[in-house]
PDB file of all heavy atoms in Angstrom:
ATOM      1  N   ARG X 288       2.955  11.644 -10.437  1.00 98.00           N
ATOM      2  CA  ARG X 288       1.498  11.534 -10.596  1.00 98.00           C
ATOM      3  C   ARG X 288       1.133  10.142 -11.159  1.00 98.00           C
ATOM      4  O   ARG X 288       0.160   9.532 -10.673  1.00 98.00           O
ATOM      5  CB  ARG X 288       1.030  12.647 -11.536  1.00 98.00           C
ATOM      6  CG  ARG X 288      -0.489  12.767 -11.596  1.00 98.00           C
ATOM      7  CD  ARG X 288      -0.910  13.932 -12.476  1.00 98.00           C
ATOM      8  NE  ARG X 288      -0.445  15.194 -11.977  1.00 98.00           N
ATOM      9  CZ  ARG X 288      -1.136  15.914 -11.062  1.00 98.00           C
ATOM     10  NH1 ARG X 288      -2.295  15.450 -10.624  1.00 98.00           N
ATOM     11  NH2 ARG X 288      -0.645  17.044 -10.645  1.00 98.00           N
ATOM     12  N   ALA X 289       1.898   9.669 -12.108  1.00 98.00           N
ATOM     13  CA  ALA X 289       1.650   8.337 -12.659  1.00 98.00           C
ATOM     14  C   ALA X 289       1.817   7.257 -11.586  1.00 98.00           C
ATOM     15  O   ALA X 289       1.028   6.321 -11.507  1.00 98.00           O
ATOM     16  CB  ALA X 289       2.571   8.045 -13.829  1.00 98.00           C
ATOM     17  N   ALA X 290       2.841   7.403 -10.739  1.00 98.00           N
ATOM     18  CA  ALA X 290       3.075   6.442  -9.678  1.00 98.00           C
ATOM     19  C   ALA X 290       1.898   6.398  -8.698  1.00 98.00           C
ATOM     20  O   ALA X 290       1.484   5.301  -8.264  1.00 98.00           O
ATOM     21  CB  ALA X 290       4.345   6.788  -8.911  1.00 98.00           C
ATOM     22  N   VAL X 291       1.328   7.560  -8.390  1.00 98.00           N
ATOM     23  CA  VAL X 291       0.195   7.632  -7.479  1.00 98.00           C
ATOM     24  C   VAL X 291      -1.031   7.004  -8.084  1.00 98.00           C
ATOM     25  O   VAL X 291      -1.746   6.198  -7.463  1.00 98.00           O
ATOM     26  CB  VAL X 291      -0.078   9.090  -7.057  1.00 98.00           C
ATOM     27  CG1 VAL X 291      -1.381   9.217  -6.331  1.00 98.00           C
ATOM     28  CG2 VAL X 291       1.058   9.617  -6.185  1.00 98.00           C
ATOM     29  N   TYR X 292      -1.305   7.315  -9.379  1.00 98.00           N
ATOM     30  CA  TYR X 292      -2.499   6.760 -10.006  1.00 98.00           C
ATOM     31  C   TYR X 292      -2.372   5.209 -10.165  1.00 98.00           C
ATOM     32  O   TYR X 292      -3.306   4.465  -9.924  1.00 98.00           O
ATOM     33  CB  TYR X 292      -2.696   7.391 -11.383  1.00 98.00           C
ATOM     34  CG  TYR X 292      -3.507   8.663 -11.356  1.00 98.00           C
ATOM     35  CD1 TYR X 292      -3.000   9.843 -10.803  1.00 98.00           C
ATOM     36  CD2 TYR X 292      -4.823   8.700 -11.792  1.00 98.00           C
ATOM     37  CE1 TYR X 292      -3.724  11.032 -10.762  1.00 98.00           C
ATOM     38  CE2 TYR X 292      -5.587   9.845 -11.750  1.00 98.00           C
ATOM     39  CZ  TYR X 292      -5.047  11.004 -11.235  1.00 98.00           C
ATOM     40  OH  TYR X 292      -5.788  12.176 -11.166  1.00 98.00           O
ATOM     41  N   GLY X 293      -1.165   4.764 -10.564  1.00 98.00           N
ATOM     42  CA  GLY X 293      -0.929   3.337 -10.689  1.00 98.00           C
ATOM     43  C   GLY X 293      -0.988   2.676  -9.314  1.00 98.00           C
ATOM     44  O   GLY X 293      -1.509   1.548  -9.170  1.00 98.00           O
ATOM     45  N   GLY X 294      -0.438   3.352  -8.301  1.00 98.00           N
ATOM     46  CA  GLY X 294      -0.468   2.794  -6.973  1.00 98.00           C
ATOM     47  C   GLY X 294      -1.887   2.620  -6.465  1.00 98.00           C
ATOM     48  O   GLY X 294      -2.202   1.629  -5.793  1.00 98.00           O
ATOM     49  N   ALA X 295      -2.774   3.570  -6.810  1.00 98.00           N
ATOM     50  CA  ALA X 295      -4.171   3.444  -6.392  1.00 98.00           C
ATOM     51  C   ALA X 295      -4.786   2.178  -6.950  1.00 98.00           C
ATOM     52  O   ALA X 295      -5.527   1.464  -6.208  1.00 98.00           O
ATOM     53  CB  ALA X 295      -4.949   4.688  -6.840  1.00 98.00           C
ATOM     54  N   PHE X 296      -4.513   1.847  -8.180  1.00 98.00           N
ATOM     55  CA  PHE X 296      -5.047   0.619  -8.760  1.00 98.00           C
ATOM     56  C   PHE X 296      -4.446  -0.610  -8.056  1.00 98.00           C
ATOM     57  O   PHE X 296      -5.175  -1.509  -7.653  1.00 98.00           O
ATOM     58  CB  PHE X 296      -4.703   0.572 -10.273  1.00 98.00           C
ATOM     59  CG  PHE X 296      -5.218  -0.677 -10.968  1.00 98.00           C
ATOM     60  CD1 PHE X 296      -6.569  -0.767 -11.277  1.00 98.00           C
ATOM     61  CD2 PHE X 296      -4.383  -1.712 -11.271  1.00 98.00           C
ATOM     62  CE1 PHE X 296      -7.071  -1.922 -11.917  1.00 98.00           C
ATOM     63  CE2 PHE X 296      -4.862  -2.853 -11.886  1.00 98.00           C
ATOM     64  CZ  PHE X 296      -6.195  -2.962 -12.213  1.00 98.00           C
ATOM     65  N   LEU X 297      -3.131  -0.573  -7.841  1.00 98.00           N
ATOM     66  CA  LEU X 297      -2.472  -1.727  -7.202  1.00 98.00           C
ATOM     67  C   LEU X 297      -2.772  -1.791  -5.721  1.00 98.00           C
ATOM     68  O   LEU X 297      -2.414  -2.754  -5.055  1.00 98.00           O
ATOM     69  CB  LEU X 297      -0.961  -1.651  -7.444  1.00 98.00           C
ATOM     70  CG  LEU X 297      -0.520  -1.831  -8.891  1.00 98.00           C
ATOM     71  CD1 LEU X 297       0.911  -1.430  -9.097  1.00 98.00           C
ATOM     72  CD2 LEU X 297      -0.770  -3.278  -9.368  1.00 98.00           C
ATOM     73  N   GLY X 298      -3.465  -0.783  -5.184  1.00 98.00           N
ATOM     74  CA  GLY X 298      -3.928  -0.834  -3.792  1.00 98.00           C
ATOM     75  C   GLY X 298      -4.981  -1.847  -3.542  1.00 98.00           C
ATOM     76  O   GLY X 298      -5.186  -2.329  -2.452  1.00 98.00           O
TER      77      GLY X 298
END
Side-chain angles (χ1 to χ4, degrees):
R288 190 177 297 274
V291 169
Y292 273 72
F296 181 77
L297 293 167

